[in-house]
Amino acid sequence: MKLIVQIPALNEEQTIAETIKAIPRRIPGFAVVEVLVIDDGSTDNTAGVARMAGADHILRMSSHVGLARAFSAGIEEALTLGADIIVNTDADNQYCADDIPALCQPILQRRAQIVIGCRPIDQIDSFSPTKKALQRLGSWVVRRASGADIPDAPSGFRAYSRDAAARLCVINTYTYTLETIIQAGRKVSRWHRFPCG
């Protein structure tokens, strides 16, 4: 089994090395763990720093295409590279890389095809009351539209089985997080949420 951890990044030379180095390279259930950085047209040295930090693959977009398109390009590249499971995380190291093995477990155990890491939104001090309210509202709307009980729909910390990843189609140019849940809620029957943070 091959796990690819993909990291969309735009001008993240200050944090990308720490994010990559935190990713566990030995995870039970996987023979190979690789890191794929999608450089979304960075104007700094994100790609160079990522390579020096140990990224196995760098996919460089010719210009800034936005998070949704960078995410989609990463999924396509990870599938081409033979990923059995794809984990998506943020380049600013906001998610705990030590949670990656647990995030993958429901897929390895064939209990889920998609797992979303759910942050304790109400306990995040850096989120304003307005942002917390919008997070709750957005998650409620997505639950209604998708039928999937996901309390933190905007979370970018996710694991996808190869089959689920191959069936995603992102149309929105701004964000993939909500759209992919709504699509998958209609196409994928097995979900799991994982408390993170």
Side-chain angles (χ1 to χ4, degrees):
M1 292 283 284
K2 178 188 276 194
L3 169 65
I4 293 185
V5 180
Q6 73 164 36
I7 309 170
L10 172 65
N11 296 330
E12 296 284 1
E13 70 177 7
Q14 299 299 318
T15 58
I16 193 71
E18 182 182 3
T19 300
I20 292 168
K21 289 176 181 176
I23 294 168
R25 292 304 189 116
R26 290 199 168 112
I27 298 177
F30 296 102
V32 178
V33 177
E34 295 178 350
V35 174
L36 164 64
V37 172
I38 304 97
D39 181 359
D40 184 17
S42 295
T43 56
D44 66 3
N45 193 30
T46 293
V49 172
R51 179 73 68 197
M52 291 293 293
D56 301 283
H57 312 281
I58 309 261
L59 176 61
R60 296 189 80 169
M61 311 307 283
S62 58
S63 61
H64 175 56
V65 297
L67 180 57
R69 288 184 179 162
F71 167 84
S72 294
I75 291 287
E76 187 174 324
E77 182 73 3
L79 291 171
T80 300
L81 292 167
D84 295 293
I85 296 179
I86 302 165
V87 165
N88 186 85
T89 192
D90 287 357
D92 61 4
N93 207 27
Q94 72 167 286
Y95 299 109
C96 179
D98 289 339
D99 287 336
I100 291 173
L103 193 72
C104 294
Q105 275 306 303
I107 299 174
L108 286 169
Q109 296 167 356
R110 301 189 184 282
R111 294 186 291 118
Q113 294 177 341
I114 298 173
V115 181
I116 297 178
C118 298
R119 300 163 292 182
I121 299 298
D122 289 333
Q123 299 170 28
I124 300 175
D125 294 335
S126 61
F127 283 11
S128 68
T130 302
K131 183 169 184 176
K132 290 177 183 180
L134 289 172
Q135 292 269 4
R136 286 191 295 271
L137 175 62
S139 294
W140 178 82
V141 169
V142 170
R143 279 195 300 276
R144 296 291 300 238
S146 69
D149 183 19
I150 307 297
D152 184 13
S155 172
F157 192 45
R158 299 165 176 229
Y160 296 90
S161 71
R162 182 176 182 84
D163 182 58
R167 289 192 275 167
L168 294 177
C169 177
V170 179
I171 298 167
N172 188 318
T173 57
Y174 176 67
T175 182
Y176 66 90
T177 57
L178 308 182
E179 181 180 357
T180 54
I181 291 174
I182 293 168
Q183 280 184 29
R186 296 173 180 163
K187 297 178 184 178
V188 176
S189 58
R190 289 177 295 151
W191 284 83
H192 190 81
R193 62 184 182 190
F194 170 78
C196 65

